[in-house]
């Protein structure tokens, strides 16, 4: 869709090489910090995660109108045709 | 300079090490695929929904729509420069909100039903009071340096925005100021979704990553990779333990938050169009995904199979939404129409 950025562009091309490399270091430190957070989480087995997702779907299926179908008389979006009284 | 190079090398080495550690930890818990686990689950069969209403009124491409919490009203946004609020039971237009900028990309309904918000290429998120005699601008949230791609209300006093400037932001509507800025994406943020418990949210971006954030701390907790192009659509599974993404790479994926990885991929060799939008049925079993091929395809979320299609639009399906009561699906398109199906 819109153009993809692969990295935040440096806005100041007049920076000295030293300052540019300092900002790269700041960026790298932030990346390490973030990766440390992401590496430290507890993970559960995919088999356990899958079975819980399946159980959720199973428990809520009977209350899912799009799975169960909606009787015409209870369908809020269905256009109601006018009744003529003979 | 030598010291800096040494530190840079050390940091790079640590990065590579941490990435390898994360991959290994993910692999260690990857003891089977979701579709294999679901092989014993009964099939949903062919899902055939009927077109119930076509809502006509916009004069240009529709870019966004959002259901009200009452599951009856809905707001749509078009580049004809208007927001329209519809009563979907009757098909009537209730309110028209003229926009200062016609280049709208996102719209949201507040849970109270009192406010709507929109924004786009103007970089501003404008909040309107639609209960006033005529729609009144309440706030103009102006701090993003890129387009507004998505907005979602937490309440009448707080709103979350996603922007092409690669950040997401939590705003205080009473002061009009930014409360928390979420930075970590390296590409335009395209979409966001709030968790059911409102403590976290997820964002999808043009860097092909989805990220989970702590709403109050501002920290990115987890990053999900796998897509090979922009993520345009993102949603929480109702249990709050999984997320679904849709991308320009023509695939949708489900990531489980607690296994920290992709558990199923929704792809079809015959589908060569990007995913623009997605919504789940109330049990989470069905995924309605809008594509550039003018259709909304229906997926079985557990088995990974295509189980139906909503055909009828004459141009790209740009937005899809299921109301809270799960009674139907709304699709909005560049053909200027909204359609209601169930």
């Amino acid at each position: 869709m819109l153009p993809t950025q692969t990295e935040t562009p440096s806005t100041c091309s007049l920076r000295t090489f030293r300052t540019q490399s300092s900002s790269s270091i700041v960026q790298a430190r932030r990346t390490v910090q973030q990766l440390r957070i992401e590496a430290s989480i507890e993970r559960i087995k995919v088999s356990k995660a899958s079975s819980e997702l399946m159980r959720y779907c199973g428990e809520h299926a009977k209350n899912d109108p799009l799975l169960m179908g909606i009787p015409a008389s209870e369908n809020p979006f269905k256009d109601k045709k006018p009744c003529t009284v003979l | 300079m030598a010291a800096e190079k040494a530190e840079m090398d050390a940091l790079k080495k640590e990065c590579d090490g941490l990435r390898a550690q994360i991959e290994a930890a993910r692999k260690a818990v990857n003891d089977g695929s979701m579709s294999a686990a679901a092989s014993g689950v009964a099939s949903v069969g062919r899902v055939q929904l009927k077109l119930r209403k076509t809502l006509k009124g916009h004069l240009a491409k529709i870019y966004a729509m959002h259901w009200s919490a009452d599951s009856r009203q809905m707001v749509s946004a078009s580049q004809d420069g208007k927001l329209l609020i519809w009563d979907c039971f009757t098909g009537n237009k209730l309110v028209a909100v003229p926009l200062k900028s016609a280049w709208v990309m996102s719209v949201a309904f507040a849970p109270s039903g009192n406010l709507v918000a929109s924004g786009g290429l103007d970089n501003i998120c404008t909040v309107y009071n639609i209960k006033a005699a005529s729609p009144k601008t309440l706030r103009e949230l102006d701090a993003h340096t890129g387009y507004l791609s998505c907005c979602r209300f937490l309440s009448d006093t707080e709103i979350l925005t996603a922007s092409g400037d690669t950040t997401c932001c939590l705003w205080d509507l009473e002061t009009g100021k930014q409360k928390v800025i979420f930075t970590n994406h390296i590409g335009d943020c395209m979409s966001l979704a709030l968790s059911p418990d409102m403590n976290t949210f997820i964002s999808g971006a043009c860097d092909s990553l989805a990220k989970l954030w702590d709403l109050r701390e501002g920290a990115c907790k987890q990053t999900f990779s796998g897509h090979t192009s922009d993520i345009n659509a993102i949603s929480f599974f109702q249990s709050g333990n999984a997320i679904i993404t849709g991308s320009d790479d023509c695939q949708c994926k489900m990531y489980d938050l607690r296994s920290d990885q992709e558990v199923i991929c929704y792809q079809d060799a015959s589908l060569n169009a990007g995913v623009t939008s997605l919504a789940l049925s109330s049990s989470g079993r069905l995924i309605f995904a809008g594509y550039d091929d003018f259709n909304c395809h229906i997926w079985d979320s557990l088995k990974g199979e295509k189980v139906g299609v909503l055909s009828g639009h004459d141009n790209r399906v740009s937005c899809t939404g299921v109301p809270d009561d799960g009674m139907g699906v709304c699709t909005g398109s560049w053909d200027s129409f909204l359609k209601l199906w169930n």
Side-chain angles (χ1 to χ4, degrees):
Chain A
M1 296 186 110
L2 285 133
T4 306
Q5 287 172 243
T6 51
E7 62 178 272
T8 315
S10 174
T11 49
C12 183
S13 55
L14 297 174
R15 273 194 192 140
T16 61
F17 177 74
R18 189 159 182 273
T19 321
Q20 265 183 334
S21 61
S22 299
S23 71
S24 303
I25 287 199
V26 167
Q27 181 77 328
R29 280 186 200 140
R30 280 201 203 117
T31 306
V32 166
Q33 192 81 314
Q34 180 59 36
L35 286 171
R36 279 185 192 151
I37 293 172
E38 293 183 17
S40 67
I41 65 165
E42 292 287 315
R43 294 171 181 83
I44 69 168
K45 290 208 187 298
V46 170
S47 57
K48 182 171 192 286
S50 302
S51 70
E52 290 190 20
L53 288 167
M54 281 160 47
R55 194 177 68 226
Y56 186 94
C57 285
E59 282 169 2
H60 291 85
K62 59 186 181 310
N63 296 323
D64 185 337
L66 294 172
L67 269 183
M68 299 283 101
I70 304 167
S73 54
E74 294 166 30
N75 190 339
F77 301 131
K78 192 170 156 61
D79 278 331
K80 309 222 175 334
K81 302 236 177 333
C83 294
T84 40
V85 178
L86 297 165
Chain B
M1 282 242 305
E4 277 177 1
K5 187 177 187 312
E7 188 182 354
M8 200 61 188
D9 287 344
L11 287 168
K12 188 173 186 307
K13 197 167 171 203
E14 192 174 357
C15 260
D16 291 343
L18 286 165
R19 283 190 217 276
Q21 196 184 313
I22 291 170
E23 278 323 297
R26 284 174 174 161
K27 208 164 171 206
V29 296
N30 190 358
D31 61 342
S33 73
M34 172 74 173
S35 50
S39 57
V41 174
S43 165
V44 295
R46 190 103 198 115
V47 175
Q48 284 170 316
L49 302 184
K50 291 199 172 71
L51 174 62
R52 299 297 177 185
K53 283 191 169 53
T54 295
L55 304 176
K56 303 181 194 201
H58 282 300
L59 304 172
K61 294 174 174 169
I62 291 171
Y63 273 80
M65 58 77 47
H66 193 215
W67 283 97
S68 168
D70 70 3
S71 300
R72 176 172 181 156
Q73 289 186 20
M74 175 268 289
V75 63
S76 58
S78 164
Q79 292 201 349
D80 62 6
K82 284 202 170 44
L83 303 181
L84 288 176
I85 295 166
W86 307 82
D87 174 343
C88 292
F89 288 9
T90 59
N92 292 337
K93 300 178 228 345
L94 300 173
V95 184
V97 182
L99 302 174
K100 258 192 194 170
S101 162
W103 305 113
V104 64
M105 294 174 65
S106 179
V107 75
F109 228 125
S112 65
N114 297 329
L115 309 174
V116 295
S118 70
L121 294 181
D122 57 352
N123 300 358
I124 301 173
C125 180
T126 307
V127 180
Y128 304 89
N129 176 351
I130 50 155
K131 295 296 189 190
S134 69
K136 193 170 173 309
T137 300
L138 189 73
R139 283 267 171 246
E140 283 177 338
L141 307 172
D142 187 1
H144 279 301
T145 55
Y147 59 85
L148 199 89
S149 54
C150 195
C151 51
R152 284 292 178 260
F153 285 91
L154 277 73
S155 65
D156 279 5
T157 55
E158 283 182 313
I159 193 168
L160 251 184
T161 56
S163 170
D165 68 11
T166 78
T167 71
C168 296
C169 185
L170 178 67
W171 304 78
D172 180 332
L173 287 173
E174 285 169 332
T175 60
K177 301 248 184 303
Q178 296 173 295
K179 263 180 156 168
V180 186
I181 303 175
F182 303 88
T183 49
N184 204 255
H185 277 296
I186 55 172
D188 305 14
C189 290
M190 297 303 292
S191 185
L192 66 86
L194 269 167
S195 66
D197 70 7
M198 307 260 272
N199 290 326
T200 59
F201 76 95
I202 44 175
S203 60
C206 290
D207 56 13
S208 68
L209 302 173
K211 286 180 183 283
L212 176 77
W213 307 85
D214 183 303
L215 248 178
R216 303 297 159 191
E217 286 172 27
C220 169
K221 309 294 277 287
Q222 286 173 262
T223 298
F224 302 95
S225 59
H227 280 296
T228 53
S229 188
D230 308 0
I231 293 176
N232 297 317
I234 199 162
S235 181
F236 265 95
F237 190 82
Q238 280 85 345
S239 66
N241 291 329
I243 67 173
I244 320 274
T245 53
S247 166
D248 270 351
D249 65 11
C250 311
Q251 297 179 350
C252 294
K253 289 178 189 293
M254 181 192 286
Y255 296 92
D256 187 277
L257 298 182
R258 296 175 308 160
S259 314
D260 188 41
Q261 59 192 279
E262 178 182 331
V263 294
I264 192 165
C265 179
Y266 308 97
Q267 63 177 340
D268 186 299
S270 65
L271 267 179
N272 287 317
V275 181
T276 61
S277 53
L278 65 87
L280 274 65
S281 73
S282 64
S283 67
R285 184 67 191 268
L286 300 176
I287 299 171
F288 297 93
Y291 287 75
D292 289 343
D293 72 351
F294 307 179
N295 294 318
C296 178
H297 294 276
I298 311 173
W299 295 90
D300 177 331
S301 66
L302 300 180
K303 288 177 173 287
E305 298 164 350
K306 211 151 77 66
V307 293
V309 64
L310 304 176
S311 285
H313 284 293
D314 295 324
N315 206 323
R316 171 187 291 195
V317 173
S318 54
C319 47
T320 308
V322 171
D324 287 350
D325 68 0
M327 287 297 267
V329 193
C330 178
T331 52
S333 167
W334 280 9
D335 68 7
S336 81
F337 302 121
L338 297 140
K339 290 181 186 282
L340 296 171
W341 316 76
N342 66 15

